[in-house]
Amino acid sequence: MPLPMRRLAASPSLPAVHPHDSAAPPSVRLRRQHGRVAMERTSTTTARGVSCVVASAKEHAATTTTGDEKKGGLRGKLKKVVLAYSGGLDTSVIVPWLRENYGCEVVCFTADVGQGDIEMEGLEKKAKASGASQLVVKNLQEEFVGEYIFPCLRAGAVYERKYLLGTSMARPVIAKAMVDVAKEVGADAVAHGCTGKGNDQVRFELTFYALNPELKVVAPWREWDITGREDAIEYAKKHNVPVPVSKKSIYSRDRNLWHLSHEGDILEDPANEPKEDMYMMSVSPENAPSKPEYLEIGIVAGVPTSINGKDLSPASLLAKLNEIGGKHGIGRIDMVENRLVGMKSRGVYETPGGTIMAAAVRELESLTLDRETMQWKDMLALKYAELVYAGRWFDPLRQSMDAFMETITATTTGSVTLKLYKGSVNVASRKSPYSLYREDISSFENGEIYNQADAEGFIRLYGLPTRVRAMLEKGI
């Protein structure tokens, strides 16, 4: 039976560059300018129309947003900024702040990655009321699932034993779209509302640098004098910006089609148990149906494609599994993780559909991957997850690892039947036309292929180092 050749959409690989190879594009030239060496790097346009430019030291200093720029720097030098906009307090305040401090036009951008209709309601009105010239909205759900979630799922990427990378995978697809919008509207800068303590600032900015390093980046939380939510609310009132919040402490949430995260409030103390009314995507396992539900997940080349025999698009399939998994209390994770910036943070995640998908793919791999391949895949999956968590989606290493994952999972095709019951996911059945499992070999009965008597010689050879060490210790 021929092997399946299905390939997922992948990021184009970049040509290799050697600093001493002047003939190979892109070239790297070193030249002396007034007693100092500056590096220039030029690049041909890739299939995505992305130009790679490494700025000189002077140009690089202009693209950062450190505290020194509060005395001059970029302020007043920008013409148009594309802001990652959610309609919440922070981004609503950032709009007038950008206009006040940089004298620039602000274009708000919202990516629909499955955060829900409620969060998308009235965004244009809010953005313009805050002072934005326009709001650009793009539906990225299919791209998010097909080109970001599925590669991570296929790789088995899990950060620090638990986290299924919900926010980590969403940031590069949003940031990439921001770069595209900046080109469309003629913006010379991009901005985000990420704090200087979190991971998202890194994820956004590494994507900006990878796809268009000529764009200036503004990160207000690293510049302004606003220190918390109360300051932000006062600033909003002063500038007549409508914000639907109060000064009462609430959870900080991030939602997309893959997961819903909860941080802050009582969760900041790891000793506190989460309150049941916090959860939004799943019922408590105690209140889940008392009757289990069986679910057959069809998989092609390491990627889920169907539920109970019905093919669905990537986004539709995930949405359906979220509904089913949430009903059974599947996918709740409470963890203390190590942030990229060095501190520990506590978060609670709901990932019902993703938990089901991950279990199905893992179980099918038990049939289709041999021992050595599975071990190497598991080892690389740790690094893969680390790269994604750290915002290095467009890093050549992740892209190369993705090619490896795609190759070794080419035969991970078949179906897995799972039993969902009160928060648990258990395998009931697995089958694949490329299964390496042979009943005639694995059976306890003697067969023609495997002679049990052969095991004696194998054990003597395999255990020889152990035997020699014991002989040395006993003086034999």
Side-chain angles (χ1 to χ4, degrees), residues 230-387:
E230 277 117 12
D231 287 348
I233 292 171
E234 292 303 320
Y235 186 92
K237 289 179 179 179
K238 179 181 177 182
H239 292 79
N240 298 315
V241 175
V243 286
V245 298
S246 68
K247 294 185 179 181
K248 183 180 179 181
S249 178
I250 58 174
Y251 296 109
S252 173
R253 289 187 169 102
D254 176 74
R255 183 167 190 165
N256 57 51
L257 197 57
W258 182 251
H259 87 159
L260 172 61
S261 67
H262 311 267
E263 292 182 332
D265 202 68
I266 67 166
L267 298 179
E268 291 188 348
D269 183 350
N272 290 331
E273 181 181 6
K275 293 180 179 179
E276 185 57 39
D277 61 6
M278 178 193 72
Y279 295 97
M280 301 174 67
M281 291 184 71
S282 60
V283 303
S284 67
E286 294 89 344
N287 295 329
S290 56
K291 181 180 179 181
E293 180 173 354
Y294 289 84
L295 208 61
E296 183 182 30
I297 308 297
I299 298 170
V300 176
V303 172
T305 59
S306 67
I307 302 174
N308 295 332
K310 182 179 180 180
D311 290 334
L312 295 169
S313 72
S316 298
L317 188 144
L318 177 54
K320 184 64 177 177
L321 289 178
N322 279 334
E323 177 186 341
I324 297 172
K327 180 178 66 176
H328 290 279
I330 305 296
R332 292 184 174 188
I333 294 296
D334 183 342
M335 69 179 291
V336 175
E337 66 194 65
N338 290 293
R339 281 184 180 172
L340 181 62
V341 293
M343 68 185 72
K344 287 186 180 290
S345 67
R346 192 268 189 99
V348 176
Y349 303 97
E350 295 178 79
T351 319
T355 300
I356 294 172
M357 284 184 175
V361 173
R362 183 174 61 247
E363 290 299 337
L364 190 60
E365 286 181 343
S366 69
L367 290 181
T368 62
L369 299 183
D370 62 79
R371 179 177 58 196
E372 296 295 326
T373 300
M374 185 179 291
Q375 289 176 358
W376 274 101
K377 182 176 184 294
D378 287 348
M379 286 190 288
L380 291 177
L382 294 174
K383 185 63 178 179
Y384 193 108
E386 181 186 333
L387 291 173

Side-chain angles (χ1 to χ4, degrees), residues 171-222:
R171 294 310 182 233
V173 69
I174 296 172
K176 175 184 174 297
M178 288 180 65
V179 172
D180 295 339
V181 171
K183 182 178 180 180
E184 292 168 8
V185 302
D188 55 341
V190 287
H192 60 76
C194 307
T195 75
K197 288 185 176 182
N199 301 308
D200 283 343
Q201 57 181 337
V202 181
R203 295 163 182 159
F204 272 106
E205 294 181 35
L206 289 189
T207 301
F208 298 150
Y209 295 157
L211 300 183
N212 187 354
E214 290 181 302
L215 282 171
K216 306 300 187 294
V217 179
V218 184
W221 272 104
R222 301 201 300 258

